[in-house]
Amino acid sequence: MRPQILYLNRLKAVACIAVVILHTFFAADAFAQTVAQHTVLLSVRNLMTWSVPCFVMCSGVLLLEPKKEIGMQKIVRSYLPRMVIALILFSLLFALFDSVFMQSRSVAAILGEGLKNVITGGGWKHMWYIYMMIALYLMLPVYRLVTKSASDKDLRYIVILYGIFLSLAPLSEKFAGLKLPFYIFVFSIYPLFFFAGYYLHKYRRFGRVPAFLMVLVSAAATVWLTYISCSENNENLSDLLSNYSSPVIILGSIGGFVLLRDTSEKRKGFIDAASEIISKCSFGVYLIHMAFLKFIFAVKRYDPMANGGYLTVLLISLLVFVMSLLVTYAFISVKNMFRKKAK
């Protein structure tokens, strides 16, 4: 068994909780009645957006290390099947959920809708993450060729290039109406996070003080822009705050990653024991928690703003996280038990 990187467990655990908070506060925003309520709920939601990029950065640390043997065979036989199976299984389960709680349909209709959603991406919105990971796995052999021969300067160049053309340049069109003719042959921001995670893990170019300032600036900008967006109903700002190519999100994600990267590599009892469990369950928690949220807010139509307000939303976040963690942990435990019996 390979030695664990403790800060990655801690980072994934915190990011996992943040994702649940993000989706809970966003779902609760449907019940907001005032600009102030929209501002608070969406500010919390937007402050949690660093979590998904940090998951991608953690994947970069684990998958781009040249010393780690990851050949085409392992990608095709292990990594890709895991994502494809999860995609198909949960697309069917979520279609079944919708049929049971929202609109009754036949078994054939459920199967048809679930399989259609796999192909078209028309299922529950958070499933986009699986498609993104499939894309990264498909490109992984190419990305690993880069890290096997790249110096720290080469990797820094790649990250900066992605940042300029996929984050900063699009802002000129959105806010200034100026479409620049310059581009590079990629269209997704996620390789930036993939390479940035590996680069920051391996070369550690700056420390905790600059990282803290990055997080502070990102958080302050997020709250301020959310306030303006809600006050003026500004769709461009709203899109900016929810788009992972936003410079604000990139700044906060990199800063947050470095802050946790620089924590002690000395194991800390309960904290690291809990972090390890949450880290192992994080993918399952990500998939399952939306079912609990949809049941609470869409099926039961529970209005947290009329029943305690922001504190209730936070408590729902924690409750949903715990329930999702328990379900995932139970599933993993049963799966491991059957594996041991099979051996």
Side-chain angles (χ1 to χ4, degrees):
M1 182 179 294
R2 68 176 184 271
Q4 293 190 16
I5 304 173
L6 293 180
Y7 88 80
L8 287 184
N9 283 344
R10 297 166 189 161
L11 181 55
K12 290 172 71 175
V14 176
C16 186
I17 297 171
V19 165
V20 177
I21 294 173
L22 184 158
H23 287 143
T24 306
F25 275 76
F26 185 57
D29 183 61
F31 299 92
Q33 299 295 322
T34 65
V35 171
Q37 289 179 345
H38 281 299
T39 301
V40 173
L41 291 169
L42 291 180
S43 289
V44 175
R45 179 255 192 177
N46 293 336
L47 286 170
M48 298 296 111
T49 50
W50 61 270
S51 53
V52 173
C54 278
F55 271 123
V56 181
M57 294 167 79
C58 290
S59 296
V61 173
L62 297 171
L63 296 175
L64 292 177
E65 173 55 57
K67 295 178 182 178
K68 185 176 181 180
E69 293 185 8
I70 304 177
M72 189 74 72
Q73 189 176 39
K74 187 170 185 178
I75 294 171
V76 172
R77 291 188 178 182
S78 178
Y79 293 156
L80 282 173
R82 186 168 81 102
M83 286 296 160
V84 172
I85 290 170
L87 177 62
I88 295 172
L89 176 61
F90 279 91
S91 292
L92 292 172
L93 288 175
F94 292 150
L96 176 63
F97 179 102
D98 288 339
S99 177
V100 172
F101 293 109
M102 310 293 284
Q103 183 180 4
S104 181
R105 284 163 292 184
S106 67
V107 174
I110 293 170
L111 289 173
E113 181 183 343
L115 294 175
K116 179 183 176 183
N117 288 339
V118 169
I119 299 171
T120 63
W124 290 16
K125 290 183 179 180
H126 74 306
M127 296 291 281
W128 71 267
Y129 185 82
I130 297 183
Y131 294 98
M132 183 270 294
M133 287 304 300
I134 289 174
L136 285 178
Y137 286 147
L138 289 172
M139 289 297 295
L140 189 55
V142 178
Y143 294 153
R144 284 178 58 81
L145 286 175
V146 173
T147 55
K148 281 181 180 179
S149 59
S151 67
D152 63 329
K153 291 182 180 179
D154 296 328
L155 289 170
R156 187 163 66 248
Y157 171 78
I158 291 172
V159 171
I160 292 173
L161 194 68
Y162 276 136
I164 291 173
F165 284 96
L166 298 180
S167 177
L168 296 177
L171 292 180
S172 67
E173 182 177 2
K174 181 177 287 291
F175 291 97
L178 177 63
K179 184 174 177 60
L180 300 177
F182 305 101
Y183 60 91
I184 54 175
F185 291 107
V186 290
F187 67 92
S188 170
I189 195 65
Y190 300 106
L192 180 150
F193 298 117
F194 205 50
F195 281 108
Y198 173 74
Y199 173 79
L200 292 170
H201 169 75
K202 187 168 184 178
Y203 297 108
R204 299 171 179 255
R205 282 298 179 186
F206 58 94
R208 300 184 71 179
V209 173
F212 177 77
L213 292 175
M214 291 170 69
V215 171
L216 188 63
V217 170
S218 174
T222 295
V223 173
W224 178 58
L225 292 174
T226 302
Y227 170 74
I228 296 174
S229 172
C230 293
S231 300
E232 301 178 0
N233 196 23
N234 189 315
E235 292 186 6
N236 282 338
L237 280 180
S238 179
D239 290 343
L240 177 70
L241 291 165
S242 60
N243 191 323
Y244 292 116
S245 64
S246 164
V248 176
I249 295 177
I250 294 173
L251 192 70
S253 301
I254 291 177
F257 182 93
V258 172
L259 281 179
L260 282 163
R261 178 204 70 185
D262 285 349
T263 56
S264 171
E265 279 298 303
K266 183 179 179 180
R267 194 170 182 87
K268 297 180 179 179
F270 173 78
I271 291 176
D272 282 311
S275 296
E276 183 178 351
I277 292 172
I278 297 171
S279 175
K280 288 180 178 177
C281 296
S282 59
F283 184 55
V285 171
Y286 179 84
L287 291 172
I288 292 169
H289 80 281
M290 287 300 290
F292 288 114
L293 289 178
K294 192 163 187 177
F295 181 79
I296 294 169
F297 292 119
V299 177
K300 292 300 184 181
R301 298 295 300 171
Y302 181 76
D303 183 353
M305 303 312 294
N307 295 279
Y310 309 122
L311 178 59
T312 300
V313 181
L314 182 60
L315 290 175
I316 291 173
S317 302
L318 299 177
L319 177 63
V320 167
F321 168 75
V322 171
M323 291 190 298
S324 303
L325 181 64
L326 290 174
V327 171
T328 304
Y329 185 78
F331 174 79
I332 292 175
S333 298
V334 171
K335 183 178 70 172
N336 290 338
M337 182 179 67
F338 279 108
R339 279 183 177 176
K340 288 180 180 178
K341 287 184 178 181
K343 290 180 180 180

